């Protein structure tokens, strides 16, 4: 467990260190990163996948052919013999186990999945940034007492990092009870230590920069230096990590829903819940499980490809 935690810390600290370095030619970090992203096939594929996902999630629910919760074909279901109408003209993906249009539910479920991923990531980003920002400012600018504050906060963060992410999410969800809000909070808590340690490492690297020394020499107070100078210049790796966290958030939210800790409202489709409901009918209608599983995998792949490409674009060893 200690070795795994150490690897997590090293990976996060490495990203913070890379993003803190300046380009010797004076080219903006993001300008150079964008140039490299445009030439990266993985980044292009990831961006296309995410573009399609966002389009479906935002616009799709207004264009679905049937209400996602309407059991319009319930009379055609033969549960006793395992018969569920498959793909046809009026139901492109067939119908589910209680007669609802599977295509409409997949489209509407994309919005629900996006909502869970974005909100949970924002929760982790907000809380983690507060912890990491305080720790980074304390360690880089706070002197002896600042280092003590940083040490206390980082031991709490290390404790969270030491726990497997899914186990931590399940523990939080079990304490709060099943529900959509619970899933968002549980998945958000998992990403808090990642964002906290990443921002802290980036701020400590920035604290030794020339502009911080210049501001200090001019008599600018340390809290103002931290908020107006150090934090804005330390956000690049955090933004990259947010893209990667969206991928894991979608997977972890689907896992919690699969375990019965997700949304209890059956009228609101969500890919993880759809996957869980389909387990009883794998022999009769495997498509009911394959479709949401593929959607989860492809969406997470899109976020991962783009996030990893952004991480590589920020690496000064690869920048020319």
């Amino acid at each position: 467990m200690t070795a795994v935690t150490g690897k997590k810390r090293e990976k996060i600290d490495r990203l913070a260190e890379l993003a803190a370095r300046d380009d010797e030619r004076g080219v903006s970090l993001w300008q150079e990163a964008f140039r490299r992203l445009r030439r990266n096939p993985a980044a292009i594929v990831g961006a296309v996948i995410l573009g399609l996902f966002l389009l479906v999630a935002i616009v799709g629910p207004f264009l679905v052919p049937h209400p996602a919760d309407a059991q319009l074909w319930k009379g055609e279901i033969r549960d006793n013999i395992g018969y569920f109408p498959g793909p046809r003209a009026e139901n492109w993906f067939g119908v589910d186990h209680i007669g609802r249009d599977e295509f409409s539910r997949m489209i509407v479920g994309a919005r629900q999945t996006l909502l869970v991923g974005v909100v949970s990531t924002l929760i982790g980003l907000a809380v983690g940034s507060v912890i990491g920002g305080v720790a980074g400012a304390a360690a880089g600018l706070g002197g002896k007492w600042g280092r003590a504050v940083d040490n206390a906060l980082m031991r709490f963060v290390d404790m969270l990092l030491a726990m497997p992410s899914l186990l931590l999410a399940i523990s939080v969800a079990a304490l709060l009870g099943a529900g959509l809000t619970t899933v968002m909070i549980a998945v958000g808590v998992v990403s808090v230590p990642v964002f906290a340690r990443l921002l802290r490492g980036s701020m400590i690297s920035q604290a030794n920069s020339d502009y911080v020394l210049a501001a200090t020499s001019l008599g600018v107070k340390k809290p103002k230096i931290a908020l107006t100078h150090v934090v804005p210049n330390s956000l690049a790796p955090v933004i990259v990590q947010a893209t990667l966290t969206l991928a894991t958030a979608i997977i972890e939210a689907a896992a919690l829903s699969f375990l019965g800790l997700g949304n209890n409202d059956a009228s609101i489709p969500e890919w993880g819940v759809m996957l869980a409901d389909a387990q009883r009918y794998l022999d009769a209608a495997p498509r009911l499980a394959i479709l949401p599983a593929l959607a989860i995998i492809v969406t997470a792949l899109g976020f991962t490809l783009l996030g990893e490409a952004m991480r590589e674009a920020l690496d000064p060893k690869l920048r020319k």
Side-chain angles (χ1 to χ4, degrees), residues 57 62 71 91 98-99 128 130 160 167 215 219 225 227 246 262 297 300 308:
F62 298 105
Q71 302 176 20
N91 308 111
I98 56 176
V130 171
L160 294 179
L167 179 60
I225 294 175
L227 290 175
L246 275 168
I297 293 171
E308 289 294 342

Side-chain angles (χ1 to χ4, degrees), residues 5 8-9 12 156-164 193-194 197:
T5 305
K8 284 184 179 179
R9 289 200 300 261
I12 295 170
F156 171 72
V157 168
D158 288 344
M159 181 180 67
L160 294 179
L161 279 174
M163 296 185 64
V194 177
R197 190 166 187 88

